[in-house]
Amino acid sequence: MEDRPPLDGLEHSDTHASVTRKRSELTTTNGHHRSESEPIDPAALTQALNHVEHEVRNRERTPVGSPSRKRQRIYGDRFIPQREGRDLHAAFNLLPDLNPPTTPSRSKKRVSHTELHHQKHEEATRTFANVMRSELFGNTVPQPTPPDLSPDTAFPSSTHSTTVNDPSRSRTPPNISSVLAPASLTPSTPHKNILTYKSPQHHRNGSAHLTPSRTPQSRHGPNMNPQSDLYSQSPVSFQSQQHLLNHNPPPRAIAKVPFKVLDAPELADDFYLNLVDWGSSNILGVGLGSCVFMWNSASGRVNKLCDLEDDTVTSVSWIQRGSHIAIGTNKGLVQIWDAERCRRLRTMTGHSARVGALAWNDHILTSGSRDRLIYHRDVRQPDPWLRKLTGHRQEVCGLRWNGEATQLASGGNDNKLMIWDRLEGQPRFKFTEHTAAVKAIAWSPHQTNVLASGGGTADRRIRFWDTKEGKCTMEYDTGSQVCNLVWSQNSNELVSTHGFSQNQVVVWKVPSMTQVASLTGHTYRVLYLAMSPDGQTIVTGAGDETLRFWKAFNKPPRNGIGGEGGESRMERMSIIR
């Protein structure tokens, strides 16, 4: 027999050793070498070939050849996976974020004017829809009934009189084509008195007259409900009026960061002092140590008014109209200065301890001291004081005259708030509800006889008083020490500054006492607060020796004292001499 040619179909370069080994196996049986002339068993050959192909495939899966034949992978320093079309919650078993982290995130983008206009338009549309729904349908909105489910009362009584009270047939729709004309397939008008009046009594009797023969009367006499439409002067119903009155505009946006911060070295961290006041001439007066400085908000210049060599400043207060400023000292003196000429006009005595509170009432200057006394002083007279008030048992730290100049409110470290009628010697009311020192006092410019007061650390409450009836109308727990209060001149809102333990400035909506904004930034108690003459800006001072200016309120509808158009001589001066 002729020699067989070698087998084709195998790559000699990769499987030379394997083929040689297999060939030796094919030519060996039970350890004996076969002669080349012996025939090969086809089954053994097929099994051997299958075994060889199996090993070749395994070698291709795990190659061991030279790396030069392979395409090397390039690994970079960034790997951006393709997440498009993948469900991350299912792939990574993510849970919904029920408790977001407390770390503050980036502030959201400011809403554009176009988006604000769109929000206002949507709110107006929603309100209009509510009013129209209330006017047309009242509390219920009728829905069109499909023809095959219309109630039995819509059919003639002669045809369906036997099926009205039959519960077994009430769910089976009648044969409409045999009863109604094709025009009646449209939904019927709901049985409501819409745009027409139908007497309920006549409707029950089956009368077809839409106009009653006489005006219906109540079985219980005349209608005494004051909310009835019979007595309303409004073109809409009472419920629609409630929709209009309950319309809540979007909250006003207030910047959470002060637009200006001034250093105030030696600004005392003392709860009982009043060292910051903003005058009608748009000049800010600040007591720092033994000096009083003035900051002109128009020019930004700072000038020193005075320097008390052997004394310290404990309170400052501008007169309502003019350039005179009163200064209380630690030795119990009260000085009157002309801020335009930087000249002291007079010094008044009377107190035996520091003067921590001052309040002007035209030409009457009222001072309160640690000696527990209150003095009324007429700056036009040479006498040091006009009237002495005794009522507090500890230091007087808060004094405010109301807008009508008819009542004086005084607060003290004895936790008492007293109301005095003009120059009377005895208080009209004594309020003892506060459980801590009462320094924060503010009269409402929008309502007469309405006073707001705040208590110290142990009290933490803002209380509202009716000084005509002598009672507390409302109280609210702020959660921290109340240091100062001031009312907005342009809206019914209240600003409060706080100490322990949050050191924040809060704008409240009165009387709901909802927070319009909470401003933070001071690291010490916010002990001092004043408002600009135009009512838009507030300035706060704290023991961290900084003065921060906040844009808290919008522009008033008309020019106020010291606002735009109220430029005075001091504002026109470049330098105060």
Side-chain angles (χ1 to χ4, degrees), residues 134-152:
S134 174
E135 285 297 304
L136 293 177
F137 308 115
N139 296 327
T140 59
V141 181
Q143 301 294 335
T145 306
D148 56 343
L149 297 179
S150 57
D152 295 317

Side-chain angles (χ1 to χ4, degrees), residues 7 33 65 71-72 80 112 117 173 186 223 230 236 239 285 347 379 406 408 411 418 422 452 486 494 500 553 557:
L7 298 177
H33 181 74
R71 186 175 180 180
Q72 296 182 357
I80 303 177
S112 62
H117 177 74
T186 58
N223 192 340
L230 295 175
V236 297
Q239 186 177 1
T347 300
V379 297
T406 56
L408 171 71
M418 299 188 183
R422 198 162 174 80
V486 65
L494 184 69
F500 303 123
F553 302 103

Side-chain angles (χ1 to χ4, degrees), residues 40-61:
I40 300 175
D41 187 7
L45 179 60
T46 303
Q47 184 179 0
L49 291 176
N50 292 337
H51 186 69
V52 170
E53 291 177 359
H54 179 70
E55 287 195 0
V56 170
R57 283 196 296 268
N58 290 341
R59 286 180 178 272
E60 288 179 352
R61 291 177 184 175

Side-chain angles (χ1 to χ4, degrees), residues 406-426:
T406 56
Q407 286 184 329
L408 171 71
S410 64
N413 196 30
D414 54 359
N415 308 341
K416 291 184 175 57
L417 175 66
M418 299 188 183
I419 308 299
W420 312 77
D421 282 338
R422 198 162 174 80
L423 301 180
E424 296 294 329
Q426 295 297 325

